[in-house]
Amino acid sequence: MVREFKLPDVGEGVAEGEIVRWLVEPGDAVEEDQPVAEVETDKAVVDVPAPVDGTVREILAEEGEVVPVGEVIITFDVAGEESAAEADAQAEAEPEAEEADTEKAEVEARAADDAQATGGADAEPAETGDPETETAVEPDAETASSGRVFAPPSVRRLAREEGVDLGSVEGSGPGGRVTAGDVRAAASGGAEQAAAGGDAATTGSTDAEATTDAEATDAPTDAASQGSAPTGEASGQATRTDAADRDRTLAAPATRRVAREKGVDLNAVPATEQRDGEAFVSEDAVREYAQAQREAQEADVQALQVQDADVPAAESADDAAASTGDAAEATAVEGERERRRPYRGVRRTIGERMSQSKFTAPHVTHHDTADATRLVEIRERLKPEAEERGIRLTYMPFVMKACVAALKEHPIVNAQLDEEAEEIVEKRYYNVGVAADTEAGLMVPVVDDVDEKGLLQVASETNELVQKARERSIERAEMQGGTFTITNFGGIGGDFATPIINHPEVAILGLGAIDERPVAEDGEVVARETLPLSLSIDHRVVDGADAARFTNTLKEYLEEPSLLLLE
């Protein structure tokens, strides 16, 4: 039997994932829980395991394709097991078969009556074929007046799911047949618009509205060349699908890949056919649409060149291509002067979170500098002992422990604003996030309960989590629940910055580079190891005075780390 496997929800709130790499090929034998693919979510790359013991039958998603959760990505051959899809299909087929049989009997009866009335000796009942397909018999005037609703079983099922009374829907398909688009339009309150669109479709799309839609796409439909339906019916379906603002389009994975490469929105491409009441687009249609778009853009470029004679032709073409927003076209014009990468996955999530934080919380950054001479001395003294225990001791664990000590004295900095309840929530636990620079972008592992752990344990857990983040093996749960965040840009270089708060926290501490800097001491300028500090706060919750007091306390612990022994 064939078992379909849908992309699972690999993390809390994840709606889609990108297929990074397939670990198996069709024909490979797999065992249950064996990783079959690597999928990138908005946080990390995770392994997707096989659900059964069996053989890979077909891979339905390409590497690099973004797949929504719940979509089938791979199928397996499993000996002696009936797939869930087949069981569901059989269960659904029973009531639909009854409807189909009833409709078939009525159609045959009407055909027989017509044959008897006209004396046509050669008249025979029309073949109905597959119950899922629409019958070729057109309803006559008597049928139309009888109030019967003509719709395939798939459309009837959709009507039941949407709670739509088919008797109140005016069909736009051939012979007044109700289509899936009619049901959706009725469900959204647009039954009258669907009926108007149906009139245009059934008359062969000869009115002005249909003509305008066809011209706007700049790409002819392929219904006639495909030979899948009579010209009038196919063009009617295509025009209706194009006139509507589609939000879902069926296409093969290879077609979707071509659309991404060409920078084409599949929902804007004229549909070549209908499958299960949904618009279906072929690869050829995508290429034709992309070609039409390119030709239109080239025409725009030529127009710009004529209007702006003072600008060299090459520069005008570059500007016109960039203004269209078409990635493929801009790359072709610019050549090697530009490089485009997909804005998705972890990078897109970082952008969304940063925007949410910056536009939600009014940021204010307080800058100060700590004398880190004693911190450097103590770390150098403890470093060999830590290495003997297999732990790499950096400055970060010291700063984390010092921050927790300061947060206990200034709990407003370890808080969160509950906007819905209109309450400020001061946290009495201390989960410190450490921003890590990875190839995929900034990730923030969280070390829980830092106040309850020793220095070396904090160091060990921090090192492990940061390494997992850089290897993209970190789990989503290990980056959640933080109450305060530290980001160390000094390791790369620089003194001060304005870090963006890790929303919904209310503060983030940025660390500059520990280095020798001139310091005035007893009227003389001396070289001291100093640590620049940049504390960004959410000014809705934390005042500037609170930020200054917190930073002063933090400096005390950093300048005399032995005070941490009292905590």
Side-chain angles (χ1 to χ4, degrees), residues 108-284:
E108 291 177 349
R110 291 197 308 271
D113 292 342
D114 292 342
Q116 184 176 2
T118 57
D122 296 333
E124 297 180 358
E127 296 182 0
T128 57
D130 192 331
E132 281 291 333
T133 61
E134 297 178 357
T135 176
V137 177
E138 296 291 348
D140 53 17
E142 180 182 354
T143 304
S145 63
S146 67
R148 271 187 42 72
V149 177
F150 290 89
S154 60
V155 174
R156 294 180 182 275
R157 182 172 64 251
L158 176 63
R160 290 195 297 269
E161 294 172 353
E162 297 289 345
V164 174
D165 180 12
L166 280 177
S168 64
V169 179
E170 184 174 350
S172 64
R177 205 169 305 279
V178 178
T179 68
D182 299 330
V183 172
R184 292 193 178 90
S188 62
E192 295 181 1
Q193 295 179 2
D199 293 340
T202 56
T203 55
S205 303
T206 57
D207 60 11
E209 181 181 356
T211 303
T212 302
D213 290 334
E215 292 174 352
T217 59
D218 286 330
T221 61
D222 293 338
S225 61
Q226 295 293 335
S228 60
T231 304
E233 178 181 344
S235 62
Q237 291 175 348
T239 303
R240 176 175 175 79
T241 304
D242 300 339
D245 186 12
R246 296 200 309 264
D247 56 4
R248 186 171 186 266
T249 301
L250 301 181
T255 302
R256 296 184 182 277
R257 183 175 65 252
V258 171
R260 288 197 302 271
E261 293 172 353
K262 301 293 185 181
V264 169
D265 180 7
L266 274 177
N267 294 328
V269 179
T272 54
E273 60 181 284
Q274 292 269 344
R275 292 190 179 180
D276 295 332
E278 298 284 353
F280 180 84
V281 171
S282 67
E283 182 177 337
D284 290 340

Side-chain angles (χ1 to χ4, degrees), residues 283-559:
E283 182 177 337
D284 290 340
V286 172
R287 295 186 183 278
E288 288 182 7
Y289 183 82
Q291 177 64 27
Q293 294 299 307
R294 281 196 295 270
E295 291 175 355
Q297 291 158 10
E298 290 172 359
D300 291 341
V301 170
Q302 294 175 359
L304 287 173
Q305 292 174 347
V306 171
Q307 293 174 4
D308 192 359
D310 295 335
V311 180
E315 294 182 6
S316 296
D318 293 346
D319 294 340
S323 67
T324 64
D326 186 301
E329 189 68 15
T331 302
V333 174
E334 292 288 345
E336 297 182 354
R337 294 175 61 187
E338 290 185 354
R339 177 193 175 199
R340 290 179 177 264
R341 294 180 295 161
Y343 181 62
R344 62 190 182 211
V346 175
R347 173 50 56 189
R348 185 178 65 183
T349 301
I350 292 172
E352 292 172 351
R353 299 272 173 88
M354 292 294 184
S355 297
Q356 178 192 20
S357 177
K358 193 66 176 177
F359 289 108
T360 300
H363 282 54
V364 173
T365 305
H366 176 81
H367 300 287
D368 209 333
T369 303
D371 186 338
T373 303
R374 289 281 294 152
L375 176 60
V376 172
E377 293 174 354
I378 291 179
R379 186 249 182 176
E380 289 299 321
R381 190 163 65 248
L382 297 179
K383 186 177 178 181
E385 178 68 21
E387 289 178 350
E388 290 183 3
R389 303 186 188 186
I391 299 173
R392 184 172 64 91
L393 185 61
T394 66
Y395 293 110
M396 183 59 72
F398 292 95
V399 177
M400 294 169 68
K401 295 291 287 185
C403 282
V404 169
L407 290 171
K408 289 182 176 180
E409 296 186 31
H410 307 280
I412 192 63
V413 184
N414 194 57
Q416 176 182 336
L417 177 61
D418 187 338
E419 298 182 62
E420 184 175 349
E422 297 185 345
E423 295 176 341
I424 296 175
V425 184
E426 294 182 357
K427 308 294 180 67
R428 300 304 184 186
Y429 54 94
Y430 305 91
N431 300 340
V432 181
V434 179
D437 179 35
T438 73
E439 292 183 357
L442 195 66
M443 305 178 75
V444 186
V446 176
V447 181
D448 294 336
D449 302 318
V450 174
D451 58 319
E452 299 177 2
K453 299 171 181 176
L455 183 70
L456 292 184
Q457 184 179 356
V458 172
S460 177
E461 290 189 16
T462 302
N463 293 341
E464 180 182 358
L465 288 171
V466 169
Q467 185 63 27
K468 289 173 68 175
R470 288 173 176 159
E471 293 175 351
R472 307 297 301 281
S473 62
I474 192 168
E475 297 181 5
R476 189 181 184 88
E478 294 174 316
M479 294 185 288
Q480 295 178 327
T483 62
F484 184 83
T485 298
I486 302 172
T487 178
N488 179 21
F489 47 82
I492 300 175
D495 294 341
F496 298 99
T498 55
I500 296 179
I501 298 167
N502 189 15
H503 189 77
E505 298 168 13
V506 297
I508 181 172
L509 177 67
L511 305 177
I514 294 180
D515 203 354
E516 280 192 342
R517 295 180 178 86
V519 175
E521 187 176 284
D522 296 331
E524 297 182 359
V525 176
V526 296
R528 304 283 289 182
E529 298 280 358
T530 59
L531 171 60
L533 305 173
S534 300
L535 180 71
S536 289
I537 58 171
D538 182 345
H539 215 330
R540 298 176 302 173
V541 178
V542 184
D543 292 331
D546 296 323
R549 282 190 284 265
F550 170 84
T551 305
N552 290 339
T553 303
L554 176 63
K555 287 171 56 180
E556 292 177 6
Y557 286 104
L558 292 175
E559 291 176 355

